[in-house]
């Protein structure tokens, strides 16, 4: 079961080929549109869609060439059909559908969040179902029970901003380039994480998260103390964000008796957050794992793997008639 996948849900144009049963990544190519959108301080959907259209033909050819395979050896063509930016999803999935028609392969419509959710299963062969997932990205902040392929139980989610969005907004306040997660992590290395006391919203029994108050507190601190040390503020913010994520993950372990915990999504690349999660899991006798850093952020490997696992499990897929779904919850990944 060798899957060719395309991912264009946001600002990465990516393609990959994965041999799903053996978990082998045969080729992958990724181009980020971050530079083309940089002067605007964020992603501009129209510019991003045009860039996907421009880059995809070369990325598809390069990926196939790197693998040393030809189309006859590929079993199916997958693409992200949601959630994400509508025009960006349309470009990638239409390209993949056209490839599927031209080569006579099945088209596998794939949920982007399901890709993130199953990446730890690809990269950690010791991991078995069920596992507790902390999904932390630019668009999502969720705790999910991954019971099996296609069987996801949402335990908690953010009531306002996603944690990655919060890193990006705080980065903007600090004058850092978008997306600001890696820049904040870097700046925080020279700062004191206990220098500035910031709020921990929604510290309650629920498994939901809230981040907008934290972002506002950073803005207010900057207004009141314009000369504040930015490294201290970055470190204090990162420390608080890690505390918020760790606190709810601990509650989820206690409630579900999970013995395996994974983190996935762009923010899971943050080493401070990983270390705190690792510590809390060890204290609660659960294993902790997260994908290698370059598979935390958006990529097509995760789309190929999720599409392939669903196909192998005979889970329903509408194929070529599938429309893109800019909003597509993981719990409805079978639709
Ligand atoms: O999963 P992802 O690539 O795209 C979405 O599906 O959203 O996540 C992107 C998010 C951005 O908000 C980015 O700032 C954040 O992940 N991010 C980080 C780090 N690397 C990326 N946040 C904190 N620390 C990092 N090292
Ligand atoms: Zn993502």
């Amino acid at each position: 079961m060798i899957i060719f996948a395309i991912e264009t849900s946001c600002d990465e144009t990516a393609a990959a080929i994965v041999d799903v049963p053996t978990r082998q990544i045969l080729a992958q190519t990724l181009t980020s549109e971050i530079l083309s959108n940089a002067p605007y301080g964020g992603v501009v959907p129209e510019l991003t869609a045009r860039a996907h259209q421009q880059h995809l033909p070369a990325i598809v050819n390069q990926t196939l060439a790197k693998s040393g395979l030809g189309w006859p050896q590929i079993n199916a063509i997958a693409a992200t059909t949601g959630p994400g930016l509508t025009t960006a999803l349309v470009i990638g999935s239409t390209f993949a559908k056209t490839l599927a028609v031209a080569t006579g392969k099945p088209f596998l419509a794939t949920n982007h969040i399901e890709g993130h959710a199953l990446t730890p299963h690809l990269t950690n062969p010791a991991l078995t179902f069920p596992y507790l997932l902390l999904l932390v990205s630019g668009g999502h902040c969720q705790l999910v029970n991954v019971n099996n392929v296609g069987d996801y139980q949402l335990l908690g989610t953010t009531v306002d901003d996603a944690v990655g969005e919060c890193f990006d907004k705080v980065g903007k306040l600090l004058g850092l380039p978008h997306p600001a997660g890696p820049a904040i992590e870097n700046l925080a290395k020279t700062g004191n994480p206990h220098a500035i006391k910031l709020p921990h919203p929604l510290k309650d029994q629920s498994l939901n998260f809230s981040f907008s108050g934290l972002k506002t507190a950073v803005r207010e601190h900057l207004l009141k103390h314009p000369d504040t040390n930015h490294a201290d503020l970055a470190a204090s913010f990162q420390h608080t964000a890690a505390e918020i994520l760790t606190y709810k993950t601990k509650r989820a372990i206690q409630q579900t008796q999970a013995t395996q915990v994974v983190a996935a999504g762009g923010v899971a690349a943050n080493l401070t957050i990983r270390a705190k999660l690792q510590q809390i899991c060890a204290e609660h006798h659960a294993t902790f794992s997260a994908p290698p850093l370059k598979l935390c952020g958006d990529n097509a490997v995760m789309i190929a793997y999720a599409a392939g696992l669903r196909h192998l499990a005979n889970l329903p897929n509408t194929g070529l008639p599938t429309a893109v779904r800019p909003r597509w919850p993981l719990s409805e990944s079978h639709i």
Side-chain angles (χ1 to χ4, degrees), residues 112 116 137-139 164-165 167-168 179-182 185 265-267 269-270 296-298:
H112 179 88
H116 279 304
S137 72
E165 189 181 352
F167 267 87
D168 295 340
E185 180 169 17
V267 182
N270 186 292
C296 285
D298 291 347

Side-chain angles (χ1 to χ4, degrees), residues 13-87:
T13 317
I17 303 177
V18 177
D19 184 348
V20 175
T22 64
R23 294 179 161 99
Q24 256 184 296
I25 300 169
L26 302 177
Q28 60 172 317
T29 316
L30 192 139
T31 297
S32 175
E33 308 312 338
I34 290 162
L35 289 179
S36 65
N37 290 287
Y40 305 97
V43 175
V44 182
E46 174 66 22
L47 292 183
T48 301
R50 286 189 219 172
H52 287 316
Q53 195 195 30
Q54 186 187 353
H55 294 312
L56 263 177
I59 285 194
V60 166
N61 282 334
Q62 278 169 25
T63 309
L64 196 65
K66 279 185 210 166
S67 74
L69 302 177
W71 290 114
Q73 287 135 299
I74 307 287
N75 298 104
I77 317 271
T80 308
T81 49
L85 304 171
T86 308
T87 46

